Amino acid sequence: MKYLQFTQYVYLFFAAYLIYDGITKVNDPSLGSPWLSFMIAALAVFMFFFRRKFARKFEDRNKKV
């Protein structure tokens, strides 16, 4: 279960990539609309914090038992 501590950072990696993609699309309008990239990046950041909070709850529950 140690790998679950590191998988939450994958969401941050994807968020950074999607923000880069969105900025690229803002600078070159022929590539399309950047809003989908920004929305998915926001979702990835939310998922990072959600998974982090859930992992901490899981650890705390195991420590009490």
Side-chain angles (χ1 to χ4, degrees), residues 1 7 10 12 14 23-26 29-30 33 37-38 42 45 52 56 60-61:
M1 295 299 278
T7 57
V10 172
L12 286 181
F14 282 124
I23 291 171
T24 304
K25 288 180 180 179
V26 165
S30 67
S33 177
S37 295
F38 288 138
V45 170
R52 191 166 117 187
R56 286 185 182 168
D60 290 342
R61 186 182 70 158

Side-chain angles (χ1 to χ4, degrees), residues 9 11 14 16 20 24 28-34 40 42-43 46 52 57 61-62:
Y9 294 104
Y11 288 110
F14 282 124
Y20 169 76
T24 304
D28 188 6
S30 67
L31 294 175
S33 177
I40 295 174
L43 180 65
F46 169 77
R52 191 166 117 187
K57 278 186 179 182
R61 186 182 70 158
N62 285 339

Side-chain angles (χ1 to χ4, degrees), residues 3 7-8 14 18 21 27 31 38-39 54 63-64:
Y3 69 92
T7 57
Q8 63 190 358
F14 282 124
L18 288 168
D21 183 53
N27 291 333
L31 294 175
F38 288 138
M39 285 189 284
F54 184 75
K63 287 180 183 178
K64 290 179 184 178

